[in-house]
Amino acid sequence: MKVLVLGAGQLARMMALAGAPLNIKISAYDVRSGKIVHPLTQEVLGQGLENGIADADVITAEFEHIAPDILSVCQASGRFYPGEEAILTGGDRRKEKTLLDRAGVNNARYQVIENRDDYDAAIAKIGLPLILKSALDGYDGKGQWRLKTDRDIDAVWQDIGQFLKTSPQGSRQCVIAEEFVPFDREVSLIGARNAQGELEIYPLTENIHTNGILSVSISAGENDAVQSQAEAMFKSVADTLNYVGVLAIEFFDVDGTLMVNEIAPRVHNSGHWTQQGADVCQFENHLRAVCDLPLGSAKRIRPTAMINIVGNVTVPTSVMHQAHVHWYDKEPRPGRKIGHINLCADSASTLGDTLDSIAELLVDDEFPALKLAADNLR
Ligand code: AMP
């Protein structure tokens, strides 16, 4: 099988690694350069989307911020999974909110803002504090504003008004105002759905972010009632989209009740733990789903933590005594994810101890939240 992935980053790379034992060959289409590249070596294999599609049995994507004309060409091939609508929905918060409402899943109250009148109406309807998010091109906390007090109403509008006026997306761009959710923690659910509607869903993962970027994900045991809520919402969203592939849903947990924050129509950073912690990892299950092969078990085989390696930081090889290190072969830049570390243990509390001993080998500021993650496990 040959699979063309839209996007040539680490997710395409990890799909290639997971696909090799199944004889699934991955090529990656770099949407910026128009080149088709090898996902591991970045060697240029060809040029042009049409050529990439002609040479592929299946087309998929590793990210959702892709121009609509590229998506419609892929959709016309009849071999694009999870398909145009799912990717467009994941990349546009306005469409995403409409989907969540259609699927009947719990999500934060919101209002679409295109002008100052909408902004004033959102403040009147939802009240402060408000989180405001750009509908398009928003990720890792980028394109967000927080409106906390009446005093800041005009200043925040200055910024948002300017943003809307100058957005390269033109009239497709807007801002979503959302109620501020006083959550206890953030969790995510990753699962695969195949064309027959069958599901394989991983256990929930608890996520700790620093400055909008994921620092640590832990999958170590979960309250059954919370897992069931998440799975019901997952099924509802995936069925509404007639989704094929791996889908990630991020939730806020407010006192044991989940609320969807956002969806990602792809393999997800908070699912990297499945490479060492689950029977079949998210990358393989995504390929199984889009290639119409039987799905693999999403069972967790042991409590696992994933630590992101972000920017120009030091990772001593001694961590390898206790962990698996995955590098993405990327040049370090501030805020850029260049690898991750997976560590496993026999129980949640020993995972906490292992996290502590890994933290001893790393610089606190370079790897925030390790102590917090370890404490949460005990
Ligand atoms: P997002 O890009 O939507 O995932 O937002 C980035 C981060 O901002 C989330 O991981 C949350 O920590 C926080 N956040 C987003 N939306 C809300 C909300 N409605 N209420 C409180 N915090 C939020």
Side-chain angles (χ1 to χ4, degrees):
M1 278 279 221
K2 291 189 195 166
V3 176
L4 179 72
V5 180
L6 303 181
Q10 67 264 27
L11 301 179
R13 175 187 174 90
M14 288 186 272
M15 279 187 223
L17 293 169
L22 299 174
N23 274 350
I24 296 174
K25 293 187 178 57
I26 309 282
S27 48
Y29 178 70
D30 182 335
V31 299
R32 276 173 296 264
S33 68
K35 292 186 174 115
I36 301 156
V37 301
H38 190 285
L40 299 179
T41 62
Q42 300 291 316
E43 177 198 349
V44 177
L45 305 174
Q47 185 82 38
L49 183 59
E50 276 78 3
N51 292 329
I53 291 174
D55 196 37
D57 300 302
V58 167
I59 299 113
T60 189
E62 66 148 22
F63 74 130
E64 53 275 25
H65 300 292
I66 299 174
D69 55 332
I70 293 180
L71 297 176
S72 65
V73 171
C74 293
Q75 189 67 19
S77 72
R79 291 174 275 136
F80 182 33
Y81 303 103
E84 183 180 27
E85 191 200 343
I87 303 292
L88 283 172
T89 304
D92 183 339
R93 291 187 197 272
R94 183 194 322 223
K95 285 192 195 306
E96 183 176 47
K97 281 295 202 180
T98 307
L99 165 73
L100 299 178
D101 291 344
R102 255 176 64 214
V105 299
N106 196 13
N107 66 97
R109 286 187 305 135
Y110 70 101
Q111 173 113 352
V112 176
I113 295 182
E114 290 175 338
N115 53 47
R116 175 77 200 229
D117 285 349
D118 296 339
Y119 178 71
D120 291 334
I123 295 166
K125 182 173 135 195
I126 305 173
L128 301 189
L130 270 183
I131 305 254
L132 299 120
K133 305 179 180 180
S134 71
L136 301 167
D137 303 329
Y139 59 93
D140 283 348
K142 294 192 175 73
Q144 289 200 11
W145 300 263
R146 291 183 183 214
L147 177 56
K148 292 185 181 149
T149 64
D150 289 347
R151 270 197 320 277
D152 299 326
I153 291 177
D154 285 334
V156 170
W157 174 253
Q158 283 265 308
D159 259 20
I160 293 178
Q162 186 64 16
F163 170 80
L164 289 174
K165 229 187 280 166
T166 54
S167 168
Q169 303 282 358
S171 60
R172 287 184 63 234
Q173 185 62 280
C174 67
V175 166
I176 306 295
E178 237 177 55
E179 73 177 298
F180 181 85
V181 178
F183 58 82
D184 302 313
R185 59 183 190 138
E186 296 183 81
V187 295
S188 57
L189 195 74
I190 316 284
R193 183 181 186 276
N194 67 12
Q196 294 75 48
E198 293 163 342
L199 299 172
E200 274 293 333
I201 299 179
Y202 295 94
L204 276 166
T205 309
E206 185 168 336
N207 302 316
I208 305 177
H209 298 87
T210 310
N211 300 325
I213 298 178
L214 182 64
S215 298
V216 184
S217 284
I218 307 268
S219 184
E222 196 49 65
N223 174 315
D224 287 347
V226 177
Q227 178 78 25
S228 308
Q229 276 179 60
E231 290 193 10
M233 291 195 247
F234 182 96
K235 180 168 169 32
S236 187
V237 170
D239 287 349
T240 303
L241 282 169
N242 199 16
Y243 196 90
V244 175
V246 160
L247 169 71
I249 305 191
E250 295 185 56
F251 299 93
F252 299 130
D253 179 345
V254 189
D255 211 10
T257 298
L258 295 186
M259 194 178 246
V260 175
N261 173 26
E262 61 181 1
I263 69 161
R266 56 175 166 80
V267 288
H268 193 256
N269 194 175
S270 68
H272 292 0
W273 67 269
T274 63
Q275 290 170 310
Q276 267 73 46
D279 228 340
V280 172
C281 76
Q282 63 163 348
F283 301 101
E284 181 173 334
N285 256 334
H286 181 69
L287 292 174
R288 288 183 184 220
V290 300
C291 294
D292 204 19
L293 296 167
L295 295 180
S297 157
K299 196 167 175 295
R300 183 176 56 230
I301 49 179
R302 49 197 177 171
T304 303
M306 190 269 339
I307 304 164
N308 264 337
I309 305 172
V310 181
N312 196 358
V313 298
T314 306
V315 180
T317 52
S318 54
V319 301
M320 291 165 69
H321 289 298
Q322 299 174 84
H324 297 255
V325 182
H326 299 254
W327 293 108
Y328 307 155
D329 200 14
K330 281 183 163 183
E331 281 304 310
R333 279 202 301 264
R336 188 180 208 202
K337 295 170 186 168
I338 61 161
H340 66 272
I341 301 169
N342 281 342
L343 48 127
C344 307
D346 294 333
S347 68
S349 71
T350 47
L351 185 61
D353 297 340
T354 314
L355 259 173
D356 272 339
S357 64
I358 292 275
E360 294 295 316
L361 304 172
L362 302 170
V363 176
D364 282 356
D365 292 350
E366 295 181 349
F367 291 89
L370 297 188
K371 294 256 156 46
L372 173 64
D375 288 348
N376 288 349
L377 284 162
R378 291 184 289 247

